[in-house]
């Protein structure tokens, strides 16, 4: 869903990572360290995520059966994924029967080639686009540019990102890292038809974007969209958005090309009842989204007269084959997990180096690319579980993060002939914790740590070979005067006396 950028926020200087759409060019810790050094960015993200979070909490609390609705969403998605082959064929039959054409794309290159060929066959070299993560994932805009085709983003935040030669940093609010004075500068520099006296008043900026986009809508003959949902039963595609730009793209041009990940299916029309309640509340914190556009094939004399649906795999069937990772495909891209994540809140989306940032990106991107291309992402989490609690389709992201970390460790185990420092520490911990007497001795010895933590109440960096790296980035709580075991023994002795 597109949402107007938060125009009131001050400027964060940012330095997004390259244009790799799924593969990060540097590891998360390196990019996160840079982001953490930007206090302004952290303040902006904190403000934005807390605002959306509060709105979401309020509208979710209004729904008496919210947990039942989440469960329904989860079950529907799991059922769909378990029968994806059947439903995809049904979707193709229905779209074809209603005058559309279905194309199957195994990867990004194939999808880009198909879309480019379709545009060229119309004789046009300009297209308008409604926000689509699938086309960002495959780098469609960059590919079209290399083929001499101009693609204009029409969602306001996406337009700001595109004109600023930037990258989105949030699923729902892609220009969350920009403020209004920056937006004014971008419009003045890049919008060919802009008023030179443009101010940074949000209403003035929005009006400038509206005038600019209206001209594009009226002249474009081809539109490209993604899809929030594809209904197998009827062949209907659906896009939900907040600005009306989607409605313009989906109705005005003569040719409509939709690029949809194969996981966006729902079996029946009636299933939309569940997702159209879950999605707006979880994403923008609205009871319902302002624009829900549905189209089924081609209707003579009404809307686009040529419709193409490109069904994109690009790693999704590989994800489906992992029983512990496949639930990542159930995501409906609401962004609720981003807004509650303490890691995302501090680093922002660019640090993830992938079109899918935040907790869902940390589990989806490594699976789509193969874990080696995004190996640091499953570690970009404190495993606090807030993402699981917020997810409208109950994706257990923390469990998946642990699964992917394990897969990564196992894949590299054979490379290490000698145990690492971490292996040695874990083995020692296992030896101590598996014996009651050893554990009791260790707890008593830990009390010595009270000396180290006496000034700040926490134990800071310990300059010892095995402890330095870990303790430099973390504070250890000062051990209590009395351990739980001591307290328990004392309480029971009191009870007996
Ligand atoms: S994982 Fe869940 S909370 Fe996160 S974007 Fe997807 S559906 Fe929303």
């Amino acid at each position: 869903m597109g949402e107007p950028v938060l125009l009131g926020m001050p400027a964060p200087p940012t330095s997004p990572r390259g244009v790799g759409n799924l593969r990060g060019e540097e590891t998360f810790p390196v990019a996160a360290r840079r982001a953490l050094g930007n206090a302004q960015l952290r303040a902006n993200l904190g403000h934005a995520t807390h605002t959306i979070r509060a709105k979401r909490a309020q509208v979710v609390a209004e729904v008496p059966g919210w947990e039942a609705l989440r469960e329904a969403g989860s079950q529907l998605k799991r059922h769909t994924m378990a029968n994806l082959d059947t439903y995809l064929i049904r979707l193709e039959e229905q779209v074809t029967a209603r005058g559309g054409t279905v194309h199957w794309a195994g990867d990004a290159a194939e999808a880009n080639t198909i879309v480019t060929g379709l545009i060229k066959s119309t004789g046009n070299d300009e297209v308008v686009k409604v926000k689509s993560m699938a086309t960002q994932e495959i780098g469609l805009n960059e590919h079209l540019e290399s083929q001499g085709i101009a693609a204009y983003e029409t969602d306001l935040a996406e337009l700001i990102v595109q004109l600023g030669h930037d990258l989105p940093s949030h699923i729902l609010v892609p220009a969350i890292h920009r403020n209004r004075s920056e937006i004014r500068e971008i419009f003045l520099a890049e919008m060919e038809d802009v008023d030179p006296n443009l101010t940074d008043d949000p209403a003035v900026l929005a009006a400038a974007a509206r005038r600019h986009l209206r001209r594009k809508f009226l002249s474009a003959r081809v539109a490209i969209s993604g899809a929030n949902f594809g209904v197998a039963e009827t062949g209907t595609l659906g896009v939900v958005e907040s600005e009306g730009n989607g409605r313009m793209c989906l109705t005005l041009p003569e040719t409509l090309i939709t690029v949809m990940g194969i996981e966006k299916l729902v079996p029946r029309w009636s299933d939309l009842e569940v997702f159209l309640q879950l999605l707006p509340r979880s994403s923008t914190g609205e009871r319902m989204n302002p624009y829900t556009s549905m189209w089924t094939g081609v209707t003579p004399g009404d809307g686009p007269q040529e419709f193409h649906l490109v069904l994109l795999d690009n790693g999704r069937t590989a994800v489906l084959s992992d029983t512990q990772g496949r639930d990542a495909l159930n995501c409906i891209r609401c962004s609720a997990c981003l807004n509650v994540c303490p890691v995302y809140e501090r680093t922002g989306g660019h640090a993830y180096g992938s079109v899918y940032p935040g907790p869902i990106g940390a589990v989806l991107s490594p699976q789509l690319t193969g874990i080696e291309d995004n190996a640091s992402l499953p570690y970009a989490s404190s495993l606090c579980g807030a993402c699981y609690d917020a997810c409208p389709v109950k994706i257990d992201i923390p469990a998946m993060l642990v699964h992917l970390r394990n897969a990564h460790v196992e894949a590299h185990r054979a490379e290490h002939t000698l145990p690492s420092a971490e292996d040695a520490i874990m083995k020692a911990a296992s030896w101590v914790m598996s014996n009651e007497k050893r554990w009791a001795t260790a707890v008593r010895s830990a009390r010595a740590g009270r000396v180290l933590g006496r000034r700040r109440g926490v134990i800071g960096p310990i300059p010892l070979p095995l402890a330095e790296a870990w303790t430099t980035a973390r504070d250890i709580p000062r051990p209590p005067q009395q351990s739980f075991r001591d307290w328990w023994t004392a309480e029971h002795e009191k009870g007996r006396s």
Side-chain angles (χ1 to χ4, degrees):
M1 294 175 69
E3 159 141 301
V5 67
L6 302 178
L7 292 168
M9 295 195 293
T14 53
S15 162
R17 301 160 67 179
V19 291
N21 294 294
L22 276 175
R23 292 170 171 80
E25 289 176 354
E26 57 189 359
T27 62
F28 180 83
V30 173
R33 188 177 295 276
R34 188 172 50 243
L36 284 170
N38 184 342
Q40 189 64 71
L41 174 66
R42 291 213 314 274
N44 289 357
L45 285 164
H47 172 73
T49 52
H50 282 255
T51 305
I52 303 174
R53 215 148 102 179
K55 278 176 74 183
R56 176 196 163 274
Q58 194 184 342
V59 293
V60 161
E62 293 171 357
V63 183
W66 181 254
E67 284 309 313
L69 208 53
R70 284 179 81 210
E71 183 59 29
S74 170
Q75 293 298 330
L76 276 168
K77 277 291 179 184
R78 285 186 167 185
H79 168 81
T80 309
M81 293 308 143
N83 299 279
L84 196 57
D85 50 349
T86 308
Y87 289 126
L88 281 169
I89 298 292
R90 195 167 299 164
L91 178 79
E92 182 183 34
E93 287 167 358
Q94 294 302 320
V95 170
T96 309
R98 288 162 168 81
T101 307
V102 175
H103 309 260
W104 298 82
D107 57 20
E110 197 176 351
N112 284 332
T113 304
I114 292 169
V115 175
T116 307
L118 291 171
I119 298 167
K120 285 188 173 170
S121 71
T122 68
N124 287 280
D125 59 6
E126 283 190 355
V127 297
V128 284
K129 283 185 70 203
V130 56
K131 177 178 159 54
S132 149
M133 304 215 64
T135 60
Q136 282 170 22
E137 177 188 322
I138 61 176
L140 181 63
N141 287 8
E142 293 85 2
H143 180 79
L144 291 180
E145 194 181 341
S146 74
Q147 299 295 307
I149 298 169
Y152 298 109
E153 295 289 349
T154 63
D155 175 275
L156 175 56
E158 290 291 344
L159 176 72
I160 294 163
V161 167
Q162 186 181 41
L163 291 177
H165 309 287
D166 200 354
L167 290 173
S169 59
H170 189 279
I171 292 177
L172 176 68
V173 201
I176 198 169
H177 55 288
R178 292 289 191 189
N179 71 22
R180 59 186 179 173
S181 68
E182 282 183 303
I183 295 166
R184 173 179 171 272
E185 294 306 318
I186 291 170
F187 281 10
L188 285 172
E190 302 286 337
M191 210 179 251
E192 70 273 9
D193 43 8
V194 76
D195 175 358
N197 299 315
L198 187 75
T199 70
D200 66 0
D201 179 62
V204 173
L205 292 171
R210 180 191 293 256
R211 273 192 302 277
H212 171 77
L213 289 172
R214 195 149 290 250
R215 280 189 276 277
K216 303 288 181 207
F217 288 133
L218 293 176
S219 62
R221 298 280 171 268
V222 182
I224 296 175
S225 84
N228 290 96
F229 305 105
V231 183
E233 178 185 51
T234 58
T236 304
L237 282 301
V239 163
V240 295
E241 41 109 12
S242 301
E243 299 168 16
N245 60 306
R247 181 68 55 85
M248 303 283 257
C249 286
L250 298 165
T251 53
L252 290 177
E254 290 157 6
T255 300
L256 173 61
I257 303 166
T258 299
V259 181
M260 183 181 94
I262 54 174
E263 81 282 16
K264 290 299 183 75
L265 274 187
V266 295
R268 298 160 305 182
W269 175 263
S270 57
D271 298 331
L272 292 176
E273 176 190 350
V274 173
F275 295 108
L276 291 179
Q277 291 185 76
L278 288 172
L279 182 55
R281 282 186 156 85
S282 302
S283 55
T284 48
E286 292 168 301
R287 295 183 184 95
M288 64 183 289
N289 44 281
Y291 293 88
T292 301
S293 301
M294 303 276 189
W295 69 101
T296 309
V298 171
T299 305
D302 185 12
Q305 295 301 291
E306 203 179 318
F307 170 54
H308 297 272
L309 173 62
V310 181
L311 290 171
L312 177 71
D313 184 335
N314 205 30
R316 286 160 174 77
T317 44
V319 180
L320 202 57
S321 67
D322 180 344
T323 50
Q324 287 173 275
R326 66 167 60 143
D327 277 0
L329 294 176
N330 298 353
C331 174
I332 57 173
R333 309 278 189 267
C334 71
S335 79
C337 58
L338 278 66
N339 299 327
V340 296
C341 177
V343 176
Y344 177 87
E345 185 182 322
R346 282 156 183 83
T347 65
H350 289 151
Y352 292 79
S354 163
V355 66
Y356 302 112
I360 184 60
V363 293
L364 186 59
S365 299
Q367 293 196 82
L368 287 175
T369 59
I371 195 156
E372 290 311 317
D373 278 325
N374 278 296
S376 63
L377 289 187
Y379 299 91
S381 169
S382 63
L383 300 179
C384 68
C387 48
Y388 178 48
D389 292 341
C391 179
V393 287
K394 296 176 77 169
I395 299 173
D396 191 349
I397 294 176
M400 223 174 279
L401 288 164
V402 173
H403 165 63
L404 292 173
R405 290 178 188 186
N406 182 55
H408 181 236
V409 169
E410 289 303 324
H412 289 268
R413 195 174 289 286
E415 292 165 17
H416 303 291
T417 43
L418 291 172
S420 66
E422 194 177 1
D423 287 339
I425 291 170
M426 288 301 159
K427 282 217 168 66
S430 164
W431 182 76
V432 171
M433 293 166 105
S434 58
N435 178 283
E436 194 192 334
K437 279 198 185 135
R438 288 198 285 261
W439 176 243
T441 309
V443 169
R444 273 196 299 278
S445 322
R447 242 175 264 154
R450 288 183 57 76
V451 181
L452 294 175
R454 69 179 180 278
R455 240 192 294 152
R456 289 201 301 132
V458 291
I459 302 171
I462 301 173
L464 292 174
L466 289 182
E468 189 168 17
W470 201 86
T471 55
T472 301
R474 299 166 179 87
D475 287 331
I476 304 170
R478 190 184 186 203
Q481 182 74 44
Q482 185 185 35
S483 72
F484 175 76
R485 284 167 163 260
D486 291 342
W487 172 84
W488 181 267
T489 309
E491 286 298 304
H492 277 253
E493 272 169 10
K494 241 193 271 169
R496 276 199 290 271
S497 59

